Amino acid sequence: ALCAVSGATFLYHDYCIIGAGPAGLQAAYFLQRAGRHYIVFERSHAPGSFFALYPRHRKLISINKQYTGKSNSEFNLRHDWNSLLSHDPRLLFRRYSRDFFPDADTMVRYLEDFASLLKLRVQYNTAIIHVTLEKNEQAWNGHYFVLTDQDRKNYKCSSLLVAAGMWVPNVVNFPGSEYVEGYETVSTNPEDFTGQTVLILGRGNSAFETAENILGVTNFIHMVSRSRVRLSWATHYVGDLRAINNGLLDTYQLKSLDGLLEGDLEDLAIVKDKKGKLHITLRFYLENRNISAGIDSITLPQDELDNFATRAPYDRVIRCLGWKFDFSIYNRSLRMMPGKGNIKKYPQIKASYESRGTRGLFVLGTASHSVDFRKSAGGFIHGFRYTTRAVHRLLENRHHGVPWPSTAYPVTQLTNAIIKRVNEASGLYQMFSVLADIILLRENATAFEYLEEFPIGVLAELEMHTGRKARNGLFVIIMEYGRNFSGADKDVFYYNRAVGEAQHAWQSNFLHPVIYYYRSLPTEREMRLRPPEWPLPRPDAIHHIVEDFLTDWTAPNAHILPLRRFLENCLSTDLRHFFAESCFLFAFTRQKLPPSCQQGYVGMQGLLGSRELREHAARAGLLQDYTHTHSAGDRAPDSHHGSQEQLMTDPGVPVHPLQHLVNAKDE
Amino acid sequence: MSAQKDRWVSSLVFLLFCACSILRSGSASLQQEPSPQHYFSGLEAGKTSLAFFTPTVSPGAQPFLEQIESSAEALQDYGISVVKVNCPKEDVSRYCGKENALRKAFLFRGIRLIREFPTDALFDVNSIVANVLFALLFNEVKYVETLADFENIENMLKGKSNMVFAYVPATGTAEHRAVMEAAFVYGTIHQFVLTTEAALLKATSHDDPDVSSAWLLFCHCQRATEPAQPCRRTALAQPLTLLNIHRHLKLMGAPLVTEVAEDPEKISTVHLQLGLPLVFILSQTETHEADRRTAEFVAWQLLGKAGVALLSRDLVDLNVLHRSNVALKTPDEGMPIQYLVLEDTDEVITLVEDKNKVKQIQEDEQEEEEDEDEQENNNQDIQDDQVVEAVSRDKKRELPLEQIRVLTEENFHPSLQEAAQTVVLFYASWEAMSLAVLRSYSEVASLLKGTPGVVLSRVNCWDWPGLCSQENVTQFPTLRIYKEGQQSVTYGGMWAPEELSSFILLSQVSCPLKLATMEEAEGYLRGEFPSELSSQQHPSLLGVFSTATSEAREAFEEAGNILSGHVRMGMYFEDDSLALSQKYSVSPPALLLARSRGRSVESIPLSKHSVQDMLQMIRYELLDIFPEITVPNLPQYLQLGKPFLILFSAGDISQGESKEMLKVAKGRAQQAFVACWLNLKKTPVGHGILRTYFSTTPSLPVLLWVNLHAGGQVFRFPSEQPITEMNILSWLEKLQAGLEIPSSTLSEEDWKPPLPAYDFLQMMEPPVPELSPQPGHTPAQHPPKGPGGDTARGDTATREEPSQESTAEEVGSPGRGLRGTAPRLAARDKQQGKRHSEL
């Protein structure tokens, strides 16, 4: 579409997306499905240009699980970290690769297919080099975004979705840093490292990946970084060091010359001797000295401390320090500011993924990870595919009056709705503690609306963002690890780490569903002042579903029963199911009926139940059998009495076989 | 337990034996005497003491000494002191000198020796107290060995005083002690008779008694004025404890029938105080004598179980039904008095006995629950959902599902193409309702086996969520019928095999079915056409339209779409439709309704033409005039929102009743209520309803008026009147005029959570008064919480022993009765193993 504003010609789009990587394509998919007017700009000739280069050693560390033993497509996405969300079953990553850790080229091919099969509107070879604002009262956000590409062509958009990723390498500057090779360019051929001594700066997955590649041919590898190594299986954060790359930890701890050191890279200096060997020294020694005077005039630490750890000269120093967001293309008026502290590589955004500086600018994908950095999966495909969908839903509501999708159910379906979601929902599972399902209660709690995967950071603004009303209380369903269970220094294998009993569910350590109940929507102030370590403000009631070894929360007694009791007590009602016969009795003997009778039986949808089932219920003492107790009024409570006992002695959980199994394992 | 009872128990305990049953160390009241001389010189006349003599060192008698020391306090309550007399070494007097005297205890009154006991008769506190009192109360408690002795005593007492007869299997037992302690208090009022002879027990009790347990009879000899008249006997039904005996004697001592002339709500008798119900026999001046006799008769029957009072209606203004003849007041506070109309005295007795039993059981249960409360948090972890529990108990049974096709995301649409009509059950394999319905569905499969054109299939939404959401299935279970080229029809009826299969069969034919000829139309009304449905017992509904009346016809067709599968509907609008309708003396548009084969065809003119009106009318017309209410059909009648006039019958109702009721139903009041009947044989849950209304099942048949929707009052048609149209109508008139008093009212109680939930919020953290700002500056306020609270970040010295050691314990300690997971159980094993190796 062409439109002429103030003389200049602009190509106008409602939505502009910068970057045709996974996040950009994912956003394009949702906009396309909603029939929105959008365009994606990609500087390269094909999608996923980052993956065309990185990881250098080509092995993706995102899991591509072929089999889960289940056909549930939603559940299976919990273990598919590479696919983008779409309605097309051809676009499941497992159809592209059989490798558990697939090759990066496959990702590039997948993204190409995703864009072409879904006919996404991507404009390739278009590098946006400048973004600025144009004030306009009529615009959605009071301004248009004006984008300029490398050919000085201008594009105008109402809403800007930045999915440009993080591709500017982090560089440290210290004396001698010119001798350092970057991860971007370093050779990936192990033969180039034969018999060399290597120092690697950085302690992330790229550093370990680089080390892994040359571990077998080097003399030894040393690795320096400021912070200690963080193992993802201890931190439960996929951005930390993954076990697939950690060969160097093995050789270090098994005394095979390789080693890890902690130190601030800013204090470092490297000097090259005449033979071309690189020596580590400290910036401190170099101050007030003339480096040009030559290596011999420079003090090395070992001159004073003759057992200095990195006194051995290195053949190569490699920098693997990750990437940061490209802030350079945004005009100052957009106020795209880096975050503070450990999130300074990311632009500042709100929990709604909208820029703090500019209304209408949303950051998607890896660059949006500041929201859940080192917590959840928002920086990775298997996380941001959901947050992107959430942003799209916010936009649909904000600009097109399409409220957040929801399903209305009668209150009798409350337990079911929750159980269904916590067992299969992948967004809740991948974006644990970030995205939440919301249950909005209707008046008198006879019905409810179910909203999926809402960003809990903006819970206080739920009504504004979703177009739904939360006047009668709400449940928030999220998944959490146990507090204090995750951490770089935590032993995640200690005995008794797993909780088995529903009554101690709050102490569950592994990822498990948690349901918060609020009588009224928390305010922004309450959100801000929430207790530390709490993802949400203190609720009126909380329920933990006990962690489960199989992540299968469908056990009637351990999972569903305590949940039902929680919901009943929050709503002050009785959510049990009843056979039609019980409802019949209640209809004649009580003025009010339990919800399941009211909505089921009285609505002619009663459960008559087979003879066997009714007998079981009678034996359990939960249904009175009147067929044999015509006049003796005393028999029934008697049988109730007996069967209660039976019920209690009936072993619901096979403790003995399990114990047996464990013993066998131990031996 | 009622507050009154509590009060009573505590006062009894306080008055009688403040501390006798509490075993404190007896040494406090055990006197020590340095020597026999010293002891004998100090004995006062009339004071009783139990003495034992012991050399300064006597290792052998040690256990006996312990027992006697602990009984000292109990005996002190009866004014008996226990004295330990030390025998100086050189003493060779009567009590100290002989070796065997040292193995005995001696009971003195003053200085007179009453009895000497070998120490093996005094093996514990019970035996000491029992034997000592037995010796002391030699005159008050007669020991008998033969029936003749027993009868002699009985005869002697007639007209004078009452007798308490106790059988204990052996002396020195706890029961013996209880009897003796009771005799100590009541010995002067009643004659106590004791035996250990099993033969005597058998002779005095009716049925085969258990000789190993004690037994107590109260013989009302004082009332037996004639020598030939036997003493009435009332046995103690509870175990022989002091408390129970005391209670029993107290009840026996109470007047048989209390005459009452004030508001029964204000009456309190010893029975109510003791936690027993009080039965009022309502009396009138004219019948006072007869009522009195009835009351006495009932009182004898209920002696020890309930009190009986004679309430004179003439003296008290009672706002109760004039017919009421009995009232029941229970000891529970706040429970209103129940006024009842009972037929005979047996009913009174069963009423009380059933109440007691129920109460007893409730108390047992409460105690049980309380016990469990202490052990666990309630019964929260016990399943109380009847459907879930039934399904999980049935989960091992394999369902015959071979006939039912499994559909998947891949084969769903192709499968629908294959058959003209496909029935699909959408369910979730983890959901109880689904599994319960799946059981019925498998029965449907066998019911419909071999029916042409019916394909049953199922989709497990837990496997195929995409398919289920695509098909817009939001509730589990959902049953749909997919027909080629048509919109699917969702089932909206009862989940039962019969209803489901009838729906499936009816759905085979289009609804409404367009009939082409007069013959077809007639055949349709006879239930012969179409042949697919000829085996079905549904009423046939035929809409007859002249071609012109398209508006009504469209509404009828629309209603047919909605009722598809539930109602058999046909439609005729050929040129000769006028002829057809005139045959049934109605002009089109009209409905012809053949309720069942062989019955006449009803004709209903159609005046309203909206779909909603049409639907409502069809539904209404299909209802029976005097239906038998069953579990599946009640909701149809409930929807009318009217009171029920319902006849509960033990089996089929008699023709006479049926005829009379039908007359009432058809009468002018037809619009105002639902006249119906219930067959208790077919719908046994009706017993539950009657029991809720009347406590017991009344004599059948019983006709009730139940205000289901307004007020919830239940009125009972006077049982002495025959069920005739006249009687019913006049009763209804009185009822409407407010002249009748309801015999019961439906509970207005809300459905609250059956049990509390786990209070995780409380467990996680006590409430934080004012929440502290989030980003990190709250170090002191929040000590480590929850598992793994590792404060010692960076403090390597304390971390030498990994902090998880303590963490493990924190997590483990609340986990009594580990149910859980492999790691936990393994940890437990490991810990134990560790401990062993350290030993």
Side-chain angles (χ1 to χ4, degrees), chain A residues 73-354:
Chain A
S73 50
E74 179 65 25
F75 174 87
N76 286 343
L77 274 176
R78 290 181 168 191
H79 305 290
D80 172 352
W81 292 13
N82 294 291
S83 300
L84 294 178
L85 302 177
S86 79
H87 61 283
D88 192 339
R90 288 174 299 175
L91 289 169
L92 285 174
F93 203 84
R94 63 183 158 85
R95 295 178 184 253
Y96 283 77
S97 172
R98 303 193 65 80
D99 296 330
F100 193 46
F101 294 106
D103 194 277
D105 292 337
T106 317
M107 177 55 77
V108 176
R109 192 156 54 84
Y110 173 80
L111 294 176
E112 275 170 11
D113 277 10
F114 192 86
S116 61
L117 275 174
L118 297 170
K119 301 193 172 58
L120 303 180
R121 285 192 287 277
V122 186
Q123 185 175 319
Y124 294 104
N125 303 311
T126 309
I128 301 300
I129 56 162
H130 192 68
V131 180
T132 186
L133 291 180
E134 184 190 294
K135 290 262 179 285
N136 190 312
E137 297 277 305
Q138 261 87 60
W140 290 353
N141 299 295
H143 50 245
Y144 289 112
F145 294 91
V146 179
L147 281 58
T148 310
D149 71 5
Q150 77 275 21
D151 304 326
R152 301 282 157 204
K153 213 147 124 201
N154 285 332
Y155 307 90
K156 194 177 209 167
C157 343
S158 294
S159 190
L160 179 62
L161 308 180
V162 176
M166 312 263 290
W167 57 272
V168 181
N170 270 322
V171 189
V172 277
N173 278 308
F174 51 79
S177 57
E178 63 271 23
Y179 306 121
V180 173
E181 298 169 79
Y183 171 78
E184 314 84 64
T185 52
V186 72
S187 165
T188 55
N189 184 358
E191 283 175 23
D192 294 342
F193 296 84
T194 312
Q196 294 187 346
T197 307
V198 179
L199 180 71
I200 295 177
L201 308 180
R203 191 155 291 172
N205 277 301
S206 63
F208 275 90
E209 166 206 319
T210 307
E212 191 84 15
N213 185 43
I214 55 174
L215 206 53
V217 295
T218 49
N219 298 333
F220 55 83
I221 303 168
H222 285 168
M223 217 176 241
V224 189
S225 78
R226 183 172 13 188
S227 57
R228 57 159 292 165
V229 68
R230 303 164 62 87
L231 299 166
S232 60
W233 45 258
T235 59
H236 302 114
Y237 172 60
V238 289
D240 285 329
L241 175 59
R242 301 284 306 284
I244 176 164
N245 281 333
N246 70 7
L248 187 123
L249 294 182
D250 200 53
T251 55
Y252 169 42
Q253 297 288 359
L254 295 178
K255 56 185 187 335
S256 301
L257 295 178
D258 303 319
L260 267 70
L261 294 148
E262 283 81 42
D264 200 334
L265 298 183
E266 304 282 337
D267 298 338
L268 220 61
I270 292 175
V271 280
K272 196 175 198 173
D273 69 12
K274 286 163 196 142
K275 289 179 220 149
K277 301 271 185 193
L278 302 169
H279 294 266
I280 304 297
T281 183
L282 302 175
R283 185 193 281 261
F284 160 79
Y285 292 122
L286 298 184
E287 273 154 23
N288 309 322
R289 269 173 213 277
N290 188 357
I291 301 168
S292 59
I295 173 88
D296 301 328
S297 69
I298 296 167
T299 320
L300 294 176
Q302 53 265 45
D303 298 341
E304 291 179 356
L305 187 70
D306 58 8
N307 66 346
F308 180 63
T310 51
R311 58 190 181 273
Y314 296 97
D315 294 301
R316 307 174 92 139
V317 178
I318 307 168
R319 159 178 58 74
C320 305
L321 296 172
W323 292 268
K324 59 184 179 191
F325 183 73
D326 179 15
F327 290 93
S328 66
I329 64 169
Y330 304 94
N331 185 285
R332 287 173 64 87
S333 59
L334 273 78
R335 286 177 289 165
M336 285 289 268
M337 305 292 282
K340 301 213 169 68
N342 66 358
I343 52 166
K344 65 171 185 282
K345 56 181 169 176
Y346 299 109
Q348 276 188 13
I349 54 173
K350 302 184 207 167
S352 59
Y353 299 91
E354 191 165 13

Side-chain angles (χ1 to χ4, degrees), chain B residues 216 218 234-236 244-253:
Chain B
L216 185 136
F218 188 90
T234 314
L236 171 65
N244 285 338
I245 298 173
H246 169 79
R247 192 165 176 258
H248 194 61
L249 297 183
K250 203 127 193 205
L251 288 171
M252 296 306 118

